[in-house]
């Protein structure tokens, strides 16, 4: 669920912030050459160009950012984290540093480095508190690490920001996450009812929750437990 290619963030961030024209002219040729290859799905050649560009311009954070995004797409997550860290260290443009934190956090989560991922999502939001995709991505991370209540706050923030045009066309994904949040509420309400022996109420709550998310194993297990308790 909610899988995105990491290098797609290159295009998303360029479209949102238009930082590419701000790259110094002596680096821009490398960036443009690599970027054009990415658009042709020739990521390996793009990485080769960036390797050479970084060797010649080791203080340019933009090139580390783009190479790190491509490493992530090739599932070389530790290399991607190293490049995004270097991009953050050398970055001079707030929007590009924010994008590097986003890519870095996603890689860390993939490697189950959840504490580091959480810190980097928070740093991203410190830099760009009104960026809808940042709140959406952090909410997704929070859901996957069982922090549903906090996740809902960021989903609502993301949805609000979308309405003012920060990011478009994510309503479907946001609504899916909100349904997951609602599912967690159903589970809690049903569990609370079972604890006070209100079994019929718990069964009713769980049936409603399963209607919303029919493939939710957690609610199904709770429903089986409630029915078994009723029989006893």
């Amino acid at each position: 669920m909610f899988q995105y290619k990491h290098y797609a963030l290159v295009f998303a961030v360029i479209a949102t912030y238009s930082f590419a024209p701000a790259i110094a002219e002596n680096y821009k040729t490398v960036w443009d050459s690599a970027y054009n290859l990415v658009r042709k799905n020739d990521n390996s050649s793009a990485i080769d160009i960036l390797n050479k560009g970084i060797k010649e311009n080791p203080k340019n954070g933009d090139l580390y950012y783009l190479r790190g995004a491509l490493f992530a797409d090739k599932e070389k997550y530790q290399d991607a984290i190293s490049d995004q860290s270097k991009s953050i260290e050398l970055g001079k443009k707030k929007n590009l540093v924010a994008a590097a934190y986003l890519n870095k956090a996603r890689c860390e989560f993939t490697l189950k480095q959840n504490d580091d991922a959480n810190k980097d999502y928070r740093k991203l939001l410190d830099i760009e508190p009104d960026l809808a995709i940042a709140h959406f991505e952090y909410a997704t991370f929070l859901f996957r690490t069982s922090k549903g209540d906090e996740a809902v706050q960021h989903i609502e923030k993301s949805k609000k920001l979308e309405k003012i045009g920060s990011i478009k066309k994510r309503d479907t994904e946001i609504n899916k996450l909100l349904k997951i949040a609602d599912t967690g509420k159903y589970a809690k309400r049903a569990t609370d009812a079972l604890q006070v022996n209100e079994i019929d109420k718990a069964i009713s709550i769980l049936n409603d929750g399963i209607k919303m998310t029919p493939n939710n194993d957690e609610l199904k297990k709770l429903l089986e437990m409630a029915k078994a308790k009723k029989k006893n």
Side-chain angles (χ1 to χ4, degrees), residues 134-221:
H135 287 279
F136 176 82
E137 290 271 347
Y138 189 39
T140 303
F141 166 78
L142 290 170
F143 272 120
R144 290 173 175 174
T145 52
S146 303
K147 297 176 182 176
D149 289 343
E150 187 179 356
V152 170
Q153 298 175 23
H154 289 282
I155 291 219
E156 294 293 356
K157 181 71 171 178
S158 175
K159 200 165 186 178
K160 179 180 178 182
L161 290 168
E162 281 185 345
K163 291 180 180 178
I164 61 174
S166 296
I167 297 289
K168 303 291 185 180
K169 300 178 181 178
R170 297 183 80 86
D171 276 349
T172 299
E173 291 165 350
I174 285 175
N175 287 334
K176 285 180 181 178
L177 286 179
L178 285 172
K179 279 189 176 182
I180 293 172
D182 287 338
T183 299
K185 293 176 183 177
Y186 282 113
K188 185 178 186 307
R189 287 170 55 206
T191 300
D192 290 345
L194 287 172
Q195 287 177 347
V196 294
N197 213 34
E198 294 180 348
I199 300 174
D200 288 336
K201 179 179 178 181
I203 290 173
S204 177
I205 290 169
L206 290 166
N207 281 328
D208 288 343
I210 290 169
K211 284 179 183 178
M212 287 190 62
T213 53
N215 296 321
N216 189 286
D217 291 336
E218 179 186 359
L219 294 186
K220 289 179 180 179
K221 287 178 181 178

